[in-house]
Amino acid sequence: MTGLKIRSGMTRLVPYAFILPPMIYLMVFMFWPLGRQMYMSLTNTRIINPNRGRFVGLGNYERLFEDPAFYLSLKTTLVYAVLAVIFGVALGTISALAIDRPFKGRPIVRAILLFGWAVPNVAASLIWLWMYNDRSGVFNRLTEMLGVGRFGWLTSVDLALPSILATTVWQVAPFVMLVVLAALQSVPQEVREAARIDGADGLSTFRAVTLPHIRPAIQLAALLVCVWSIRRFDIIYLLTGGGPVGTTSTLVVKIRQTAFENHELGMASAYGAIGLVLALAVAAIHYAVEQRRMKWMGR
Amino acid sequence: MLNSPSRRQFLATVAVLAVAFASAVPGIGHAQSKVTIKIANSQWLDALRGKNLWAAIAKYQEVAPNVTLEQVAIPSAEFADKLTTEMGAGQGPDIAIMQEGLFFAMADAGFLVDIGAATEGVKLNKTNDNGMIDGTRYGIAWQRAAYALIYNKPVLEAAGAKVPTTVEELIASAKAASAKTPGVIGFGARHQINDLSGWYMDFQSWAYGYGVNWTDGNGKLTVNTPEAVAAVTAFKQTYASGIIPVGDSMPTQRTRFKEKHVAFSIDNSGGTLNIASGGALASKDIGGAAMPFKNPGAHQQIFLGVSKHSEVQEESIKFLTWLLTEPAQKALREASGPDALATDVPVSDDYAAANPWAPAFVKLAETSRSTLIPGYEVETMQIMRFVMQAVEKVILSDADPKTALDEAQATIDKQF
């Protein structure tokens, strides 16, 4: 009897034992640094004196909310993230639908479409930097051939953000394509065929059968693309460094500038905290949408 | 018992005395122990110059066989970030070779030690003046690279263009050179905010050239003076003339110069040495002249400092003592081109003959000014970001220079 009790107690502990290592990992590498960052945002810590920061309460946040550059960077971050999601998800989904059906050369097309995802961000940024070059870039060669002249893809106030977006979409769309493709290939064929037998055309079948099935995958991909875009640094920094005239200066670029140029680690942490709140808000919206959908499906 | 020590106690006492004696006598004990000194510098990565500079200082290992010098090569774009982070964490190299702005930040944070002992009895020149802060010597000059106007002689001769003495002449000569030799860029210059640390230092030559001081007589920051407006207007005029290769980074422009595709550039002596080394354009075909401004321009200064976190501070200071000796400075001169060094070591006649651009830099270094704002050395980059953003606004969105600088002044007034 006692042996049974002990065994039952041990069995109850097994899940905790499995959870423990990742919990320790998260505590050490995620929550502890996050807590430190939050605290640091309330201090005047400087990067060259990281352990001598003095508590300043909400002083950093007050300064931040009084700074017009903060609102510009917040707006730029939101515009960049939203457009990256719209174009990245649209292009990725269209690509997935295009290569879902078998056709000659599909493996080659799939490999080509995946190329953007496989290239490291820094390498991709440098490739695009050259393609955007005012003097020798391939885009300006094309526009010159078309007779419309040269453009300052990264140096014009109007074109810099769209140019960065194009590079970003080129990078993230293949990821969306992979996720959606996996979902597409799990759509039961018999349901599609039943719809067809019932007289549904291609578009109706897509709307009534395929889309509901792949919607969770699209939502997940959109969430990830959005969060990645909020915290994306390498592509933006390498292509424009936040310029011209601050038009591509997102929160993350401001964090780097505040921490490493101004040496204000406390202030940079405050910027980081705002970014975190933004990412959490996006996740909360996703969660709320998902809950509503589940409730609707359960009815 | 106390009065009659045992044999073991006696031997222990003898051993302690022997160790104490050995450590007190130079050449015995410590001096023979192996020591590694880590020296951080972004220049170690420069194609040819890095190798030559390292060869010059590596000679110390012949003088001090117990010392091993170890390179810490960090790309220049990451140098300040990496060093700041490492030093902040109580780590980093023993000796750092750093730009003046970073040097001041390090000294201000208390990360550098007094190296006055290395300079005793040495006749230092004025390049070391800023290495002394509040009466303590934290840095000695590694190199001072003045700015000058450099040009591609054959391209200018082919176009019949003259070496300019004003911005208007620069634009005219650059256009003439581009027109005569298709594919040639008129004028290489930094012009993008994503290269802020380089651009603001380059721009100081324009600002100083037009008489800018950035502070008034009382030390108050003033960035919207008529002189500053004139400097920004001149830069705008140059940018708008189409002679600058918009979008090209400075390394790309230097490579283009090396490959004979640039007529003019304003660069420092270090950058010019880079252009003159190992490219298609022979060093003898590069010309050097005063910049096309009324007043003297800027220089970039690099300091050597010893880290507070170093465990071999004493040995590092001994290395610096050697570095200031005549043979070491001469060896450094060979690798440094016309950069001014910590002591006055003239450029040889042979060098000047083979590199006709060099004497102009030596001359300009006599009157050049630091890129840092006096009294705001640590905050210079932060201040200059506002100024450069104003410059960027003027050249890209046709903003009025005075209005843009007034806005920068308002932001600076709020923060400083």
Side-chain angles (χ1 to χ4, degrees), chain A residues 39 48 51 57 80 118 134 186 224 248 254 265 285:
Chain A
Y39 173 72
I48 46 179
N51 298 317
Y80 171 72
D134 285 35
S186 67
L224 291 174
T248 61
K254 287 294 280 184
L265 210 51
I285 291 168

Side-chain angles (χ1 to χ4, degrees), chain B residues 212-227:
Chain B
V212 172
N213 278 319
W214 300 126
T215 54
D216 64 11
N218 301 318
K220 183 190 178 295
L221 285 164
T222 45
V223 302
N224 57 348
T225 56
E227 292 83 9

Side-chain angles (χ1 to χ4, degrees), chain B residues 402-414:
Chain B
K402 173 82 174 97
T403 312
L405 287 171
D406 282 347
E407 284 169 14
Q409 181 69 53
T411 316
I412 287 167
D413 285 344
K414 261 190 208 166

Side-chain angles (χ1 to χ4, degrees), chain B residues 68-393:
Chain B
T68 304
L69 299 181
E70 191 180 304
Q71 272 191 23
V72 181
I74 306 167
S76 61
E78 298 161 23
F79 193 84
D81 293 0
K82 193 168 165 62
L83 207 68
T84 311
T85 314
E86 284 185 355
M87 293 288 224
Q91 297 165 10
D94 301 301
I95 294 175
I97 299 178
M98 56 208 146
Q99 287 280 354
E100 199 173 11
L102 181 62
F103 163 74
F104 270 95
M106 290 290 164
D108 186 55
F111 291 156
L112 301 178
V113 297
D114 181 355
I115 54 169
T119 63
E120 278 168 21
V122 181
K123 198 182 168 200
L124 295 174
N125 60 25
K126 64 173 183 166
T127 61
N128 298 278
D129 291 354
N130 274 359
M132 191 80 110
I133 301 170
D134 295 333
T136 305
R137 176 157 299 285
Y138 292 106
I140 55 168
W142 167 252
Q143 290 167 340
R144 172 177 285 185
Y147 281 87
L149 178 75
I150 56 168
Y151 53 92
N152 180 326
K153 281 187 193 172
V155 163
L156 252 69
E157 281 161 16
K162 66 173 187 174
V163 178
T165 54
T166 65
V167 168
E168 289 74 19
E169 286 177 10
L170 170 68
I171 294 169
S173 290
K175 281 186 173 172
S178 296
K180 181 69 186 175
T181 316
V184 160
I185 291 161
F187 176 59
R190 283 189 169 98
H191 55 276
Q192 295 185 98
I193 207 85
N194 63 357
D195 188 13
L196 177 71
S197 62
W199 190 23
Y200 98 74
M201 286 194 272
D202 288 5
F203 184 74
Q204 294 291 36
S205 282
W206 290 74
Y208 298 164
Y210 279 83
V212 172
N213 278 319
W214 300 126
T215 54
D216 64 11
N218 301 318
K220 183 190 178 295
L221 285 164
T222 45
V223 302
N224 57 348
T225 56
E227 292 83 9
V229 172
V232 175
T233 306
F235 191 78
K236 158 80 180 176
Q237 190 189 348
T238 311
Y239 185 89
S241 71
I243 61 173
I244 294 176
V246 176
D248 275 3
S249 66
M250 201 55 183
T252 305
Q253 293 186 49
R254 282 181 179 152
T255 306
R256 288 194 200 276
F257 207 125
K258 262 184 175 193
E259 297 307 314
K260 305 181 178 180
H261 295 157
V262 179
F264 293 99
S265 184
I266 286 180
D267 209 337
N268 61 57
S269 46
T272 308
L273 179 63
N274 209 339
I275 291 169
S277 310
L281 181 65
S283 189
K284 67 174 177 53
D285 287 335
I286 300 173
M291 286 174 283
F293 314 127
K294 276 185 187 160
N295 302 297
H299 61 241
Q300 282 190 28
Q301 170 90 37
I302 302 177
F303 278 107
L304 288 139
V306 174
S307 168
K308 183 184 89 170
H309 308 306
S310 168
E311 288 174 3
V312 289
Q313 284 174 15
E314 205 177 307
E315 290 81 358
S316 298
I317 292 171
K318 276 183 191 164
F319 164 73
L320 296 184
T321 309
W322 170 81
L323 194 66
L324 293 172
T325 61
E326 202 183 329
Q329 288 283 294
K330 275 187 176 165
L332 203 55
R333 157 62 62 226
E334 298 289 314
S336 298
D339 288 357
L341 303 179
T343 62
D344 288 331
V345 189
V347 174
S348 69
D349 291 344
D350 287 349
Y351 186 87
N355 305 279
W357 49 273
F361 284 96
V362 176
K363 177 96 183 110
L364 291 166
E366 290 169 10
T367 50
S368 60
R369 292 161 57 187
S370 165
T371 55
L372 302 184
I373 303 171
Y376 295 89
E377 286 85 359
V378 177
E379 296 91 359
T380 294
M381 188 147 155
Q382 207 175 337
I383 296 160
M384 288 308 292
R385 175 174 273 278
F386 298 120
V387 175
M388 299 320 293
Q389 277 173 340
V391 177
E392 196 189 30
K393 208 180 269 184

Side-chain angles (χ1 to χ4, degrees), chain A residues 116-186:
Chain A
W117 182 246
V119 177
N121 282 4
V122 172
S125 304
L126 294 176
I127 292 167
W128 281 81
L129 196 62
W130 270 109
M131 295 203 298
Y132 283 136
N133 187 280
D134 285 35
R135 193 180 168 83
S136 0
V138 68
F139 291 124
N140 273 348
R141 290 285 165 104
L142 281 173
T143 53
E144 273 189 326
M145 271 167 58
L146 294 170
V148 288
R150 289 182 190 176
F151 295 90
W153 299 101
L154 297 173
T155 51
S156 143
V157 175
D158 301 321
L159 290 176
L161 190 61
S163 301
I164 282 180
L165 261 169
T167 309
T168 307
V169 170
W170 178 80
Q171 271 250 299
V172 301
F175 166 77
V176 178
M177 183 190 81
L178 268 186
V179 173
V180 176
L181 191 62
L184 272 174
Q185 290 182 347
S186 67

